[in-house]
Amino acid sequence: MKVLVIGSGGREHAIIKSLKKNNKISEIIAAPGNGGISKDAKCIPIKANDITGITNYVTEEKIDYVVVAPDDPLAIGMVDALEEKGIRCFGPNKAAARIESSKVFSKNLMKKYNIPTAEYETFSDYEKAKCYIESDYVKFPIVIKADGLALGKGVVIAENLEEGRDALNIIMNEKKFGDSGSNIVIEEFLTGPEVTVLSFTDGKIVVPMISSMDHKRIFDGNKGLNTGGMGVIAPNPYYTKEIAAICEKTIFLPTIEAMKKEGCPFKGCLYFGLMLTQNGPKVIEYNSRFGDPETQAVLPLLETDLLTIMESVTDEKLESIDIRWKDAFSACVVMASGGYPESYKTGLPISGLENEGEAIVFHAGTEYKSDTFFTTGGRVLGITAIAENPRKTLEKAYKTVEKIKFEGAHYRKDIGKY
């Protein structure tokens, strides 16, 4: 069986390492992949959002199954195009992927079906948005979100009116995020512990995975700019069995039912970004795919074969699969380029990767040439360890991190402290 995984980050590397455990798979191909992925799969130079290139390759090479991992190709209809060619896929179609690609769609969905989330208003007119935040209705801080995909950066927390005006101008007038900022969501600022729950769903039932806690800020103590994620622990210590039961009843199942009623059932991995507020769990955001770096912490805990689960999602037979998890803890520490998430150098040689030890090294932004790995992105590596308790897990991860070197390497030293 030949499987193609679309994408080039740490998430895709984690998916590929999990798929490699299935002996039915004769070959795994990645498009475009990265340096580390090239050691676990055949990498082909086709961009993740090249629908024509991907569909032609899949047809010519007789690929049996495709995993569409990133948000962009899902949002533009990669799954639709592949299914039209008769190719079996894991991932939602374009209509269902709107749950991430349009914040306006997702917020309106939650309002319509009484799924708990922050109070909000939507705007397509700059002057109306500006008048709204200047009104007595608004209490700062507020959250301003670009409607569409913006590489995880289209969200601004405005502490006061001046910051709110600046954010509206940057998003709606200066078009920092392009057309993604043509429509915006302005919502109340929620407080409480954050939880990520990835889930498998075939459009009929939903099976939550192990919960996780992402660390978004660039510096220790949750300071500095927001990033795509600087580290993860799983399970999330705040996500109790009691809270999980509430989330299943008030958020998970209602979301799946809502999508079905809207005529766009969701099949794939649905990401629930939650805030545990004083008034109960609320949805901060949905993602239409595996989160990154959460996947790098969660999938290593999976005992059931990943391909079997994915195929059951495709065939709408998820209820027939008994999904099991290791009774253990995991931690992923992200090693980033100095200067990330703003400007940073690339092309820097990486040493020490042979010292993987007891951890797993997932490559996010690397290339391999002349027998050496080099940096190519902001987030470079994800170092994941598993152990029987959180303390030992973090010790194992950081022990490996300290052995890996590249110029300007930056990582948080407080992952797992909360």
Side-chain angles (χ1 to χ4, degrees):
M1 184 175 185
K2 295 169 75 173
V3 176
L4 172 67
V5 176
I6 297 174
S8 61
R11 165 187 50 221
E12 287 75 26
H13 200 184
I15 290 170
I16 287 166
K17 280 187 176 292
S18 287
L19 289 173
K20 278 185 71 176
K21 298 173 185 176
N22 185 300
N23 56 20
K24 280 199 320 183
I25 300 175
S26 57
E27 185 176 23
I28 301 176
I29 305 101
N34 63 40
I37 288 175
S38 71
K39 299 298 179 180
D40 291 299
K42 174 185 175 182
C43 292
I44 57 171
I46 303 177
K47 292 181 179 179
N49 58 358
D50 182 354
I51 290 181
T52 301
I54 293 288
T55 52
N56 287 344
Y57 179 86
V58 165
T59 303
E60 292 164 7
E61 296 298 320
K62 296 181 171 57
I63 301 298
D64 299 293
Y65 196 76
V66 179
V67 179
V68 187
D71 48 7
D72 281 344
L74 291 169
I76 62 175
M78 181 68 77
V79 168
D80 307 67
L82 288 166
E83 288 181 341
E84 283 176 14
K85 298 282 187 180
I87 305 300
R88 300 173 75 241
C89 299
F90 181 86
N93 61 23
K94 183 177 180 178
R98 286 179 300 162
I99 202 166
E100 176 178 12
S101 64
S102 172
K103 305 245 181 353
V104 171
F105 172 82
S106 67
K107 294 295 287 191
N108 289 342
L109 183 87
M110 287 183 271
K111 178 182 279 187
K112 182 176 180 179
Y113 292 96
N114 298 311
I115 298 166
T117 188
E119 294 295 321
Y120 74 99
E121 295 292 341
T122 63
F123 297 91
S124 57
D125 181 273
Y126 166 76
E127 289 297 335
K128 288 181 180 179
K130 182 168 167 287
C131 286
Y132 174 72
I133 67 168
E134 291 172 344
S135 71
D136 293 335
Y137 298 113
V138 173
K139 306 298 180 189
F140 288 89
I142 57 172
V143 182
I144 302 175
K145 299 178 177 180
D147 174 49
L149 301 175
L151 299 174
K153 298 173 183 175
V155 178
V156 176
I157 298 171
E159 298 287 348
N160 51 53
L161 180 56
E162 183 180 356
E163 290 183 7
R165 287 173 177 149
D166 288 344
L168 291 179
N169 184 55
I170 288 168
I171 295 172
M172 302 190 80
N173 292 336
E174 296 180 8
K175 297 287 186 183
K176 181 178 180 180
F177 307 113
D179 290 339
S180 291
S182 297
N183 296 299
I184 63 162
V185 174
I186 300 175
E187 63 181 35
E188 68 170 322
F189 179 76
L190 299 177
T191 58
E194 288 191 41
V195 180
T196 299
V197 181
L198 306 175
S199 64
F200 295 110
T201 174
D202 61 359
K204 298 189 295 185
I205 70 165
V206 58
V207 181
M209 302 184 212
I210 296 287
S211 66
S212 61
M213 176 191 286
D214 191 9
H215 298 61
K216 289 286 188 189
R217 301 280 187 171
I218 186 67
F219 297 126
D220 289 4
N222 287 323
K223 295 179 180 177
L225 296 172
N226 265 323
T227 72
M230 290 300 296
V232 179
I233 57 170
N236 188 308
Y238 293 104
Y239 192 70
T240 64
K241 287 183 179 179
E242 292 76 17
I243 291 173
I246 293 169
C247 290
E248 185 160 357
K249 182 179 179 180
T250 65
I251 295 173
F252 303 160
L253 291 172
T255 299
I256 298 306
E257 287 301 312
M259 292 295 283
K260 201 159 46 173
K261 288 175 182 175
E262 291 297 303
C264 50
F266 190 102
K267 292 169 60 173
C269 173
L270 184 54
Y271 168 123
F272 294 93
L274 310 173
M275 183 80 78
L276 307 184
T277 75
Q278 289 184 331
N279 298 315
K282 296 188 178 185
V283 178
I284 306 171
E285 64 173 346
Y286 296 112
N287 286 346
S288 60
R289 34 73 192 187
F290 285 97
D292 193 354
E294 292 95 338
T295 305
Q296 300 173 51
V298 172
L299 280 189
L301 295 173
L302 180 65
E303 285 189 336
T304 306
D305 176 67
L306 180 59
L307 179 63
T308 301
I309 298 170
M310 287 180 162
E311 288 189 300
S312 75
V313 166
T314 302
D315 298 334
E316 299 181 14
K317 296 179 180 178
L318 185 57
E319 62 185 5
S320 67
I321 304 297
D322 180 19
I323 300 178
R324 296 179 179 174
W325 300 89
K326 295 174 183 174
D327 183 16
F329 296 83
S330 69
C332 174
V333 179
V334 170
M335 299 186 72
S337 299
Y340 173 77
E342 298 186 299
S343 60
Y344 49 84
K345 291 182 181 178
T346 59
L348 304 171
I350 306 168
S351 63
L353 287 170
E354 68 279 3
N355 299 317
E356 189 168 305
E358 296 181 278
I360 310 165
V361 178
F362 296 116
H363 289 239
T366 69
E367 65 176 343
Y368 186 73
K369 57 184 181 182
S370 304
D371 297 323
T372 304
F373 286 100
F374 294 88
T375 66
T376 61
R379 289 185 296 171
V380 179
L381 302 167
I383 315 301
T384 297
I386 300 171
E388 64 273 15
N389 63 63
R391 180 188 57 78
K392 190 169 183 181
T393 301
L394 289 159
E395 284 178 359
K396 288 169 67 174
Y398 277 111
K399 188 176 179 181
T400 298
V401 167
E402 289 163 5
K403 294 175 181 177
I404 299 171
K405 311 290 181 186
F406 56 90
E407 182 188 328
H410 170 74
Y411 57 92
R412 280 183 56 168
K413 299 174 180 64
D414 66 344
I415 300 302
K417 295 179 182 176
Y418 47 88

